[in-house]
Every structure is written in structure tokens, then in C-alpha cells.
Amino acid sequence: MTPSEPFLSSVLQDEHSEPPSAGRNHEEQGEQDQGRRTVVEMIGVCRTFPGTPEVHAVRDINLTISEGEYLSIVGPSGSGKSTLLHLLGLLDRPSVGTYLLDGVDVSELSDAKRSELRGERIGFVFQAFHLLQHRSVLENVELSMLYRRIPRRERTKRARDTLDRVGLKHRVEFSPQTLSGGERQRVAIARALAAEPSLLLADEPTGNLDSGNADAVLDVFDKLHGEGLTLAVITHDDDVSTRADRRVRIADGTLTDEVAS
Amino acid sequence: MRRAPLRRRLALRDLLGEALAGVAARPSRLALTTLGTVVGIAALVATMGLGQTASGQISGRFDATSAVRVVVEAGEREGTDGGVKITELPWDAADRVSRLAGVAAAGTFAQVAVEGAQVRGVPVSDPGGAVEHDVPVAAGSPGLFDAVNAVLSDGRFFDAGHDGRGDPVVVLGRYAAERLGVNRVDSQPSIFIGDRPFTVIGIIDSASHRSELLDAVVLPMGTADSLYGLDAPGALEIRTELGAAQLIGSQAALAVAPNDPELLNVDVPPAPGSLRDEVSTDVNVLFLALGGLALLVGGLGIANITLLSVMERISEIGLRRAVGATRRHIANQFVVESIVIGFLGGLIGAAAGVLATVGVSMARGWTPLLDPGLAAVAPFLGALIGLVAGTYPAWRASTIEPIAALRGG
Ligand SMILES: Nc1ncnc2c1ncn2[C@@H]1O[C@H](COP(=O)(O)OP(=O)(O)O)[C@@H](O)[C@H]1O
Ligand SMILES: [Mg+2]
């Protein structure tokens, strides 16, 4: 894999120039680009938090993610990664800019509509897993389909199938408290996948894991990528980011494309 | 495509399932949360149950015999000139009221002063060893026995003939008969008041009122008048038809003493309905106030602990929002959780209240009376309290921003 340091200076670009993969018009070009659809398109997105002084968590983000792409966003702590992920996942609204998800401008939608889109299109994997301690592994996975019009039986079936996919078939009735960190994160991945999202967003998914467990989780991502899932993984860890087929750097809220070798 | 749209509301089963799981996740917390409601509902059910039971006992005492008893006694009033006016009952008071519709039986009663004469069972005047008794002497008109539901163990009552002629006959109360050593009347035994002999014609076994008759030697009014110079009857006992007591009570004085009716004391049983209502209203108002207070405290308890639970479960809220829950879904979940808590509290409280009612009643020897509807309604009252108590915490939960809820946790 490519070490990132030597590339830093060479890939820094003037933010007003047109980078090769960001800011394209995907309405037409997406068709030509190996027939790939555009899942995410952010144009000039900023997010500021009120305060004295005002915090510019992310600035002027132009980002495109195509269907089936495995993107990593890498940057140091406090650089705005989580803010960007929240914006991508409709958990937060941009202060300025346009965000098209599956071609739909979502910035102006109502809260209920955004919740619906979020449940339908986006799967989340968090550093802290966010499993419900008092519910079984199966129930935790079913939860991602609870707010959708999916019959109960179907929810259970899909949850079981998905747990099978992440190699946790034998842990279905366990309590999350009895699982290792890596297993917990795979439960969280299964939960995100069961809802069949068009985009999987992961925020420091290996941040709480030792290297062995981290590798197991990253292997699952590789496998999902191989199956055609669109992935965006946020990390401060270069080793994690090198697994992706495209890397973007974020520093001080500003995004820069990095050309993979 | 396989996309399944959002559900605006969860199916009841899913909603209840989530709420129950949320509630059951912290059993000790649940116990604490329901405590207030349990105490409140239990207090309410028990107090209402005991109120009903108590008023049942009170009204139970106004049984059929009490509810038909009217007693008229001579009284005195201060006259307009400052002097005291006294009215005596006429000798024929019983006959006068008997004409009123609704009177089943009436008779007069008087205590007789026998001027120091002792009542004895045998005519011996042995100064040394004769057994002398302090047996009271009373007089009655023939209708008295029927009016007080007197029952004979032997013999007969005297009649208008004995009364009119002033015959020397007596009827003995059972205790008087025991003390005088009389147990049968078929041999026409005699007793003596001073030196005067009287033939015993009957022995009274029981009476529902005027139990003093059971201790006494009872003469006919006419006999008491002619032998001992009785001035007038002391009281008039009236037994009315069922339900006529109030009416007779209002008419008796006028019938007995048309000239000075207001000088008589008429004792009428309270209207049974009004009495029961008064007692139960008094009791229940107090008890309901206590129960209501406990419920208020219980509701505040639920609100407080649900709010605490919302704060503890912020990351769960964030996660639910992340998997597509709307604000409304979040609010509904917390409201339903607190309804479930209230319902459980109501259920346990109702059971505890019923147990308390039965326990206290048994200890007091009462018959427990409890409206079963009350016990059935109690859990729903608990649920209602849960609904009200959960509204504010649920609203708070729904306003939590997902990014705030997911940060750090
Ligand atoms: N809600 C907020 N209010 C104020 N400042 C915030 C808020 N969220 C994030 N920030 C600030 O925005 C910057 C980026 O934060 P974040 O996106 O969490 O960084 P990262 O995930 O890369 O560590 C930080 O300086 C952080 O303090
Ligand atoms: Mg972060």
C-alpha cells in the first residue's frame, strides 16, 4: 500500500480548480463512468457551530461518491470527520451548500422525511457500536428495520441472514455484553446492512478494537465492497484508510483528494 | 425495488414490544418508578374499599327492626312566660297512634315506683334468710310486647281485659324469672311485690328493643295505676310498617297530644339512605383526597424517573434516530413506556388495595365490600397517570438532536 506522507504535497490542489473526481456532473457522466450511478453529491457544503468564535467544523466540501465505491476519509482528530459523516448521513444539516442523495436534494426536506430517507438509504457503523445492552444480538439487528414497513417475520429472517453474512450465525441469541469488541462491531455492521442501505457510513469503526478484531471488521468491509456495497469509512488511521480504493484527506474542515497509487 | 417506506406509527405490537423491553431492562428501576403509583392506587382502592365496607357496616346496623322504631317520650320546654311546661303522655297514647296508617303496633311503657317493696319469688317473710331481690318493676300496655318484638318462652302476654280490670298478673323478663326462680307458668306460680301476690302468666325470652323488659317484672298499665298510683306512661313504643318510620315520626306527636305536640320528644331513626350517604361521603372525601395526593406523588415520580431514563438513554435515542425513527416515534416510545409503568403500578396497587381492604375488614370482623369495577378501573387509572406523567419526558426525548445523542457515547 502507498504511504501517505510523500503524496501530501503533490496532491494538494487549489480548491478552486476542478479536481478529476470531485464536482463532476454525474447526471450524465455517471452513466459513462463504467455505468456507475452517483450516490452522494455534496457541493460547497459548510457546517458552522455557533459559539465565540464560531466553529467552522467543515468548509466548502465538494464530494462525490459513486455506487459501489469504497471511500475512506482520513484526517486527524478534530479535523471535522464526524461532522462530515453526520452531514452525509442526514443526521445534521449543512449551514451552507447543496447535498444530493441518490439525486434528491435533501437539505430542505422535513425532519420526518429525512428520518425516512436515513432509515431507508443509510447504514451507520459507529466507533462506540451503540448496541442496546439489554436486547439480544438478533433484536439489535432487527432494530434497523423497525421503523420501516417490513413485516415482523421478514425482519427476523433478514436479521438472521445478515448475521450469517458477517459470520455471527452462532451468536444470534447472545447478549451483546457477552461478545468481544470485534463481534460487537460486526453486529453493528449487520444491523446497518439488514436495512439494505445504498450507503454504509462508518465513523472510526476500528477505533475501539485491537488490531486482530480491527482486521476482522475491515475484512468484512472488503467483502461487502466486493459484493457491490457503497462504503464511506472515516478514520484517523492511515492503515485503515489504505484498505479503501479511494482516499480523501480532511484537515481543519477542508477536504483534499488523494490519488491512490 | 426492495425499498420499504417509513411507517408513520409502529404497529401496536412493535410499539408495546419496544416499550416492554425498555421497561424490563432495568427491573430495580421499574420497581422504584412504579412505587409511587402502587402506593397511590393501593391507597385509593383500599380507602374506597374500606369506605364502602365501613358504610356497609354502618348501614348494616340500621337493620329492619331499627328502621321501623319510633319512640315518643314526654318532654319539657321553656314556655313563653319563662316557666317550664311539662307534658304527660295520655293513657290511651297507644290507641291514638294506632289509628295512623303505617303503624304496625304501639304500646306504652313506664317504670313503676313500688315504694321500697321488695320483689320475691316466695311469700316467706322470714326476717333471717329470705332471698330478696332488687328486681325492677315496670308497666306496659298490651300492645307494648308486639311493638318491641317481644318473644315469649312460656305462657302469654296480658291483654286489654287484664289491663282494664287491673288484674294482679305479671309477665316476667327472662332474667327476672331466673332470679325469682320461676321457669314455667303452667302451674300458675306467684311472685310477691312487698306482700302483694301476682300471678305470673308469661316469660319473655327476647325483645329487639327495651331490653330492660328482660330484667323486669311487667305489670299491666291499669294494674300499676290502680295499685301504685302511676301518673302517666313514660314512653310510647311504636313499630311502623317498613319505610313508614319517617312519616309516623312526623305525625305521632300531633296524634298523641293534639294541643301541645311540640312538647313531646319523638325519636325517629335517621333515613337510612341519607345516613349511609353522609357517612360514605365523609369517609370517602378524606380517603380520596389522601389517595389523590399519593397518586400525584406517584405521577411526579414517574415523570421524574422517565426523564432520568431519557437522559440515560440518549445514545439509544440517537441510534434509533439513525435507523430511521422520527421524533414522533421516539416520543411515542417513551409515552408508551410510561403508560406501561403506570398500568403495572395500577395493577399491583389494585391488588394491594384489595388485600388491604380484606385484611382490615377481617381484623375488624367486617364483611369486606368492594365495588369490583373499582379494582378493574384502577390499572387504567394508573395507565392514565403514566400517560400524563410521560408526556413531558417524551417530548424532551423527541427534541434531542441525533448528532448530540451520538457524540462521544
Ligand atoms: N455541536 C458542536 N458544537 C460546537 N463545536 C462542534 C460541535 N461538533 C463538533 N464541533 C467542533 O467541530 C470540529 C470538528 O469536530 P468533529 O467533526 O467531531 O471532528 P473529528 O470527528 O474529526 O474528530 C471540532 O473542533 C469540534 O470541537
Ligand atoms: Mg469523530
Side-chain angles (χ1 to χ4, degrees):
Chain A
M1 289 284 164
T2 319
S4 53
E5 284 304 321
F7 282 83
L8 260 180
S9 51
S10 61
V11 296
L12 282 176
Q13 295 164 340
D14 177 8
E15 53 185 309
H16 299 296
S17 74
E18 288 264 301
S21 60
R24 288 175 299 179
N25 184 346
H26 279 264
E27 303 290 319
E28 286 120 44
Q29 283 200 5
E31 309 290 313
Q32 300 158 12
D33 188 7
Q34 302 147 24
R36 279 186 172 185
R37 214 166 47 86
T38 302
V39 178
V40 164
E41 181 159 16
M42 275 188 168
I43 304 156
V45 166
C46 298
R47 177 67 165 106
T48 52
F49 291 107
T52 41
E54 215 172 39
V55 180
H56 293 267
V58 296
R59 320 160 193 249
D60 195 24
I61 301 287
N62 293 292
L63 177 67
T64 304
I65 305 174
S66 304
E67 190 173 29
E69 197 170 18
Y70 183 176
L71 173 76
S72 79
I73 300 169
V74 64
S77 179
S79 57
K81 301 185 298 295
S82 294
T83 303
L84 179 55
L85 178 120
H86 292 152
L87 290 169
L88 285 169
L90 305 180
L91 290 167
D92 196 11
R93 289 175 196 262
S95 309
V96 183
T98 310
Y99 176 20
L100 306 177
L101 177 64
D102 286 335
V104 180
D105 186 348
V106 292
S107 318
E108 301 304 320
L109 294 179
S110 72
D111 194 75
K113 191 70 194 162
R114 286 162 60 90
S115 297
E116 175 173 359
L117 271 179
R118 187 157 65 225
E120 199 179 83
R121 310 281 169 100
I122 294 168
F124 291 94
V125 175
F126 300 101
Q127 176 175 0
F129 319 138
H130 287 300
L131 299 177
L132 302 186
Q133 297 300 304
H134 302 281
R135 313 292 289 274
S136 72
V137 163
L138 185 71
E139 286 173 322
N140 267 284
V141 176
E142 286 173 342
L143 191 71
S144 65
M145 297 169 278
L146 180 68
Y147 301 98
R148 313 264 304 276
R149 222 179 287 273
I150 301 172
R152 204 180 173 78
R153 206 184 283 268
E154 169 80 3
R155 276 183 262 154
T156 306
K157 186 185 171 296
R158 273 162 66 167
R160 283 181 183 281
D161 291 350
T162 319
L163 281 166
D164 197 9
R165 271 171 79 192
V166 299
L168 288 175
K169 195 185 179 127
H170 55 300
R171 295 280 189 262
V172 165
E173 296 300 340
F174 278 51
S175 157
Q177 283 153 305
T178 64
L179 302 185
S180 73
E183 285 175 321
R184 290 184 201 191
Q185 197 57 298
R186 275 144 68 198
V187 173
I189 294 169
R191 178 180 63 201
L193 291 178
E196 299 180 350
S198 36
L199 173 64
L200 185 74
L201 296 174
D203 189 355
E204 305 274 13
T206 59
N208 283 3
L209 304 179
D210 59 41
S211 61
N213 276 316
D215 282 342
V217 165
L218 293 175
D219 288 346
V220 171
F221 284 161
D222 285 344
K223 183 178 157 209
L224 295 173
H225 174 51
E227 291 167 9
L229 186 71
T230 312
L231 279 144
V233 175
I234 282 175
T235 180
H236 68 277
D237 184 345
D238 280 336
D239 290 341
V240 172
S241 71
T242 49
R243 295 271 200 136
D245 53 18
R246 179 180 151 220
R247 287 207 292 181
V248 172
R249 286 210 165 261
I250 185 167
D252 205 11
T254 310
L255 215 57
T256 44
D257 257 354
E258 182 171 303
V259 182
S261 68
Chain B
M1 169 129 195
R2 52 196 153 67
R3 298 218 184 279
L6 180 87
R7 299 196 284 185
R8 300 213 47 216
R9 284 166 197 235
L10 294 193
L12 188 63
R13 190 178 159 188
D14 287 326
L15 193 57
L16 272 180
E18 290 301 306
L20 280 173
V23 165
R26 294 158 189 84
S28 53
R29 164 75 54 86
L30 174 64
L32 200 68
T33 318
T34 51
L35 191 65
T37 321
V38 169
V39 170
I41 297 277
L44 209 64
V45 170
T47 50
M48 286 184 72
L50 286 173
Q52 285 172 1
T53 301
S55 52
Q57 306 312 307
I58 292 162
S59 46
R61 260 180 257 139
F62 295 89
D63 52 86
T65 59
S66 301
V68 295
R69 184 188 187 199
V70 174
V71 180
V72 182
E73 283 172 343
E76 47 188 62
R77 292 279 189 286
E78 268 181 38
T80 45
D81 54 357
V84 175
K85 295 180 76 179
I86 302 175
T87 287
E88 293 181 341
L89 286 172
W91 291 105
D92 61 348
D95 294 336
R96 291 185 186 198
V97 294
S98 295
R99 281 179 226 124
L100 299 174
V103 172
T108 50
F109 170 86
Q111 279 156 349
V112 181
V114 291
E115 290 128 19
Q118 293 293 327
V119 179
R120 279 174 293 161
V122 282
V124 194
S125 47
D126 174 0
V131 189
E132 296 191 344
H133 299 278
D134 225 359
V135 178
V137 179
S141 71
L144 176 68
F145 302 106
D146 192 10
V148 299
N149 300 305
V151 177
L152 289 164
S153 61
D154 199 10
R156 51 171 298 206
F157 296 118
F158 44 73
D159 57 27
H162 297 114
D163 191 24
R165 293 187 299 269
D167 285 347
V169 296
V170 294
V171 170
L172 299 182
R174 61 184 289 187
Y175 302 118
E178 270 170 31
R179 292 168 72 185
L180 297 169
V182 179
N183 40 41
R184 303 177 62 90
V185 299
D186 47 6
S187 58
Q188 298 201 307
S190 290
I191 58 122
F192 295 83
I193 301 175
D195 294 330
R196 267 197 204 106
F198 292 83
T199 307
V200 179
I201 61 169
I203 298 174
I204 304 171
D205 187 48
S206 69
S208 52
H209 312 295
R210 291 252 168 232
S211 53
E212 63 221 79
L213 287 175
L214 300 180
D215 294 314
V217 171
V218 187
L219 310 173
M221 275 290 170
T223 309
D225 180 30
S226 62
L227 295 181
Y228 297 103
L230 187 68
D231 292 335
L236 171 63
E237 284 279 350
I238 305 170
R239 180 165 63 80
T240 72
E241 306 288 358
L242 206 60
Q246 312 299 314
L247 180 70
I248 298 301
S250 66
Q251 297 174 346
L254 192 64
V256 171
N259 296 327
D260 290 308
E262 73 279 3
L263 289 183
L264 297 175
N265 292 326
V266 180
D267 197 7
V268 188
S274 70
L275 179 107
R276 180 183 311 160
D277 291 350
E278 259 168 44
V279 172
S280 24
T281 323
D282 275 5
V283 171
N284 285 351
V285 161
L286 179 71
F287 287 2
L288 286 179
L290 285 174
L293 194 70
L295 278 188
L296 188 70
V297 172
L300 287 175
I302 293 184
N304 217 354
I305 296 185
T306 306
L307 199 58
L308 186 69
S309 164
V310 166
M311 294 311 154
E312 277 183 1
R313 289 160 69 188
I314 281 188
S315 97
E316 174 185 333
I317 293 168
L319 175 81
R320 287 180 185 272
R321 295 300 311 272
V323 297
T326 59
R327 291 184 193 282
R328 179 206 284 253
H329 285 133
I330 299 296
N332 284 353
Q333 182 186 342
F334 281 96
V335 164
V336 172
E337 281 190 20
S338 99
I339 289 176
V340 166
I341 289 170
F343 186 83
L344 284 177
L347 206 62
I348 300 168
V354 170
L355 278 181
T357 303
V358 171
V360 171
S361 300
M362 266 166 48
R364 291 293 191 89
W366 292 345
T367 315
L369 281 179
L370 183 62
D371 184 356
L374 181 66
V377 159
F380 295 97
L381 181 62
L384 183 70
I385 290 162
L387 170 71
V388 173
T391 303
Y392 174 68
W395 174 77
R396 284 287 299 272
S398 76
T399 60
I400 291 171
E401 287 297 331
I403 54 163
L406 289 165
R407 178 171 305 125

